[in-house]
Amino acid sequence: MTRLTILEYPDPRLRTRAVPVERVDAGLLRLVDDLFETMYAANGIGLAATQVDVHRRLLVVDVSGERSDPRVFIDPEILHREGAITGQEGCLSVPGYYDEVERAERIRVRALGRDGRPFEEELSGLLAVCVQHEIDHLDGRLFVDYLSELKRQRVRIRLEKERRQRADGQSTAPARVPAI
Ligand code: GNR
Ligand code: NI
């Protein structure tokens, strides 16, 4: 298994609309395993393929908090939405930022499972929220898109600055020594 690199906002690749998988083969199952490894290593409760720069429609989630309920959704479709729930969301592609987002409280989802067979399931609470967040990734949407332009701009500037500082730290150029 391989831990993959997670793209961070405002990386334009996060805006890609993923294409259907249609066929579940050995290569796709390897990707599923890598998504779980990457998600667990980052302490996330969900991960969409888009976030690791693979633009195919699949996502993994585990909201159990003890890595005991891994779930895979391939080519997911929301058939029905009900109610509303507002909660704090975070995103591994928007590290260190959390804010309130309103979602449907219950959804009915159709998807393919690991075995490549279609299934339908009613989801609610955190699991429903997480699957909606992940399907947004597959459509090139991020939770910060639901916030004000001002908040989004602040987050973008902070993450761009952090990225620049990381790049500086990794530079192989000689350190600049103060002229005193
Ligand atoms: O780890 C995550 N936590 C989370 C919390 C509230 C709502 C959604 C999420 S998903 C997020 C992992 C992630 O970025 N998935 O795309
Ligand atoms: Ni996310």
Side-chain angles (χ1 to χ4, degrees):
M1 296 217 286
T2 312
R3 197 181 301 178
L4 306 168
T5 303
I6 298 176
L7 300 177
E8 291 183 8
Y9 181 72
D11 193 308
R13 292 172 289 182
L14 287 167
R15 297 312 189 175
T16 311
R17 191 181 158 81
V19 301
V21 169
E22 283 166 1
R23 255 182 65 93
V24 178
D25 57 19
L28 193 88
L29 294 177
R30 203 167 321 128
L31 174 61
V32 167
D33 289 343
D34 292 345
L35 287 172
F36 275 117
E37 180 176 346
T38 306
M39 177 187 81
Y40 287 136
N43 295 313
I45 59 170
L47 191 65
T50 306
Q51 292 175 277
V52 298
D53 204 23
V54 175
H55 301 288
R56 311 195 53 202
R57 301 188 74 82
L58 77 150
L59 64 93
V60 300
V61 297
D62 186 341
V63 300
S64 69
E66 48 186 22
R67 306 183 177 195
S68 61
D69 190 19
R71 291 161 182 258
V72 183
F73 295 84
I74 299 164
D75 292 345
E77 276 178 83
I78 297 180
L79 303 176
H80 185 76
R81 306 171 151 80
E82 234 180 75
I85 180 175
T86 300
Q88 285 269 325
E89 291 198 18
C91 180
L92 296 172
S93 296
V94 190
Y97 187 76
Y98 306 85
D99 214 329
E100 304 265 314
V101 177
E102 184 180 301
R103 303 277 187 183
E105 189 184 6
R106 275 179 308 284
I107 56 174
R108 183 164 188 86
V109 179
R110 182 180 19 229
L112 306 178
R114 290 192 72 106
D115 58 4
R117 295 160 68 121
F119 67 93
E120 282 187 26
E121 202 176 1
E122 222 35 83
L123 306 176
S124 63
L126 184 57
L127 186 53
V129 167
C130 191
V131 168
Q132 290 172 79
H133 174 116
E134 304 313 335
I135 292 176
D136 271 355
H137 278 301
L138 302 181
D139 291 327
R141 266 193 309 274
L142 297 165
F143 86 96
V144 294
D145 297 344
Y146 298 107
L147 309 177
S148 69
E149 176 67 41
L150 179 63
K151 281 185 174 180
R152 201 161 43 247
Q153 187 173 315
R154 284 187 181 142
V155 173
R156 180 171 52 72
I157 287 167
R158 197 179 76 212
L159 290 178
E160 280 173 340
K161 187 173 161 197
E162 284 174 12
R163 165 165 289 272
R164 272 198 308 277
Q165 286 172 347
R166 273 202 307 268
D168 286 350
Q170 284 164 3
S171 168
T172 54
R176 280 192 293 276
V177 178
I180 35 172

